[in-house]
Amino acid sequence: MDNKSNSELKRLDDAARAAWLYYVAKNTQDEIAQKLDVSRQSAQRLVALAVSEGLVKVRLEHPITQCMELAQQLKERFGMLDCEVVPSDPSSPNDNHGLAQCGAAILERYLKSETPKVLAFGTGRALKACIDELPAMQCQHHKLVSMLGNMMSDGAASAFDIVVSMANRVNAKHYPMPLPVIASSVQEKKMLHSLQPVKSIFSLIEQADATFVGVGQITDSSPLFVDGFIDDDELDAIMTDGAKGEVISWLYDDNGKLLKNEINKRVVSAPLIINAKKPVYGIAAGEDKVVAIHAALKGKLLNSLITNEYTAKALLNLSSQ
């Protein structure tokens, strides 16, 4: 594309955006025409151009200029190791379309390495969607390790456990953590952490070549609350404590500092490494996630990010206030 004119590059950008709306966001050509403010025939031609130029394969191959610029601005603003920004559907900025494909592409890069890798994982809907996008692979030389428990308080397994489902897909050795997410007491947490298998898992997490986590908001729709890990009274309490987000169930304030509150004393998850030297990817997007992502980046709980255009712009606006 080096020899293409600015107008040709702009048209390819438009074609890439139209193709994303069609193939990833599953819009009709009429919807694409409306969102891009072009005729239906033009929308059809843009999608066809994306195909003919080889921009459309399994994933969108042409990076949209604005997304690249936003990613670079975020990297510089927060001192990140890596940042990927995918397009937003103009009518649904909170949708996670595209995050899964982008996250899966990054995961594949690690999984295709001939050098054995240790990959650590949190949990959550966005991360689970990434795993669902992975192809079947043979990765017996890699290790997948969970950073937090996969059990509800009643012993039921979490619906969004990552490591087991991913291991089944890519045939890698895996280390789940069959523990509750939050212990019933500090004494129980200490007992669980004293178990030799748990110590071994924590040691493996410290060796991780890359880490992938979700970012939870602290609202009435908080994953910790919706998924039953905390109750109404506990949600009210952590809001009063100033919690703005959570990563692998560790609660933090608007500066990304871990809270010294009752819930955090009972969180069974592996300790977070602040300002880690190796990639710690947060995979999250949406209006309700902006404050939580922003705080996590400020506190250096994350050093890499996969998000969408809408969220990227909101993060930059919030950080400039």
Side-chain angles (χ1 to χ4, degrees):
M1 294 184 186
D2 292 344
N3 297 323
K4 293 186 183 294
S5 67
N6 287 339
S7 62
E8 288 175 319
L9 289 173
K10 173 64 167 61
R11 186 157 177 78
L12 282 179
D13 268 4
D14 292 342
R17 191 175 292 273
W20 184 88
L21 287 168
Y22 186 74
Y23 290 105
V24 179
K26 308 300 182 185
N27 284 204
T28 66
Q29 290 179 356
D30 285 331
E31 289 171 328
I32 295 170
Q34 182 180 14
K35 290 171 182 179
L36 298 185
D37 196 22
V38 297
S39 68
R40 186 182 186 281
Q41 290 76 17
S42 293
Q44 188 175 23
R45 285 195 291 270
L46 284 171
V47 174
L49 176 63
V51 174
S52 66
E53 288 288 331
L55 307 184
V56 178
K57 297 180 182 177
V58 176
R59 302 187 182 98
L60 194 60
E61 294 293 316
H62 181 80
I64 294 174
T65 303
Q66 186 179 43
C67 292
M68 295 176 65
E69 291 172 349
L70 288 169
Q72 186 60 35
Q73 290 175 46
L74 283 171
K75 278 183 68 175
E76 293 173 358
R77 184 73 56 88
F78 293 101
M80 285 190 278
L81 298 180
D82 190 19
C83 182
E84 297 289 340
V85 176
V86 304
S88 294
D89 183 334
S91 66
S92 303
N94 291 328
D95 280 352
N96 284 335
H97 287 306
L99 291 189
Q101 291 86 347
C102 182
I106 291 172
L107 279 171
E108 274 192 64
R109 290 207 297 266
Y110 284 98
L111 293 171
K112 287 179 178 177
S113 171
E114 295 183 1
T115 303
K117 300 289 184 184
V118 176
L119 303 178
F121 293 91
T123 187
R125 292 159 178 79
L127 195 49
K128 179 66 165 60
C130 295
I131 305 310
D132 292 341
E133 288 291 326
L134 287 172
M137 302 175 73
Q138 296 298 318
C139 303
Q140 294 92 336
H141 56 304
H142 297 319
K143 295 178 180 179
L144 314 178
V145 57
S146 180
M147 301 180 73
L148 74 168
N150 64 354
M151 290 169 54
M152 314 283 280
S153 58
D154 64 357
S158 168
F160 302 103
D161 181 62
I162 300 302
V163 167
V164 174
S165 59
M166 181 174 174
N168 289 336
R169 188 175 289 264
V170 303
N171 198 20
K173 191 168 184 178
H174 61 291
Y175 300 79
M177 197 183 296
L179 301 176
V181 173
I182 299 173
S184 61
S185 67
V186 175
Q187 291 73 23
E188 181 182 74
K189 173 181 173 176
K190 289 180 179 178
M191 183 273 291
L192 293 171
H193 280 187
S194 71
L195 298 174
Q196 187 55 49
V198 176
K199 290 181 178 180
S200 297
I201 288 174
F202 282 7
S203 176
L204 199 56
I205 290 168
E206 291 176 357
Q207 303 169 39
D209 295 286
T211 299
F212 298 85
V213 298
V215 180
Q217 71 277 18
I218 304 301
T219 64
D220 290 341
S221 62
S222 169
L224 280 178
F225 175 65
V226 172
D227 295 338
F229 297 115
I230 61 174
D231 60 26
D232 294 89
D233 291 339
E234 289 170 325
L235 178 62
D236 291 340
I238 64 174
M239 286 180 170
T240 301
D241 291 338
K244 298 299 182 184
E246 58 91 5
V247 170
I248 60 168
S249 301
W250 289 107
L251 300 162
Y252 52 87
D253 64 18
D254 55 1
N255 288 311
K257 302 298 183 184
L258 295 182
L259 296 178
K260 296 179 180 179
N261 67 344
E262 192 60 35
I263 292 292
N264 268 359
K265 290 177 183 177
R266 296 188 284 117
V267 168
V268 181
S269 308
L272 287 173
I273 299 174
I274 312 301
N275 201 18
K277 303 303 180 187
K278 295 180 180 178
V280 179
Y281 282 92
I283 305 175
E287 185 176 7
D288 59 347
K289 301 272 188 182
V290 172
V291 170
I293 299 169
H294 183 262
L297 291 171
K298 281 180 68 177
K300 304 297 183 182
L301 305 180
L302 310 173
N303 61 25
S304 301
L305 180 66
I306 301 170
T307 192
N308 66 15
E309 277 179 296
Y310 171 86
T311 309
K313 291 176 183 176
L315 288 169
L316 290 168
N317 288 336
L318 186 57
S319 66
S320 63
Q321 293 177 6

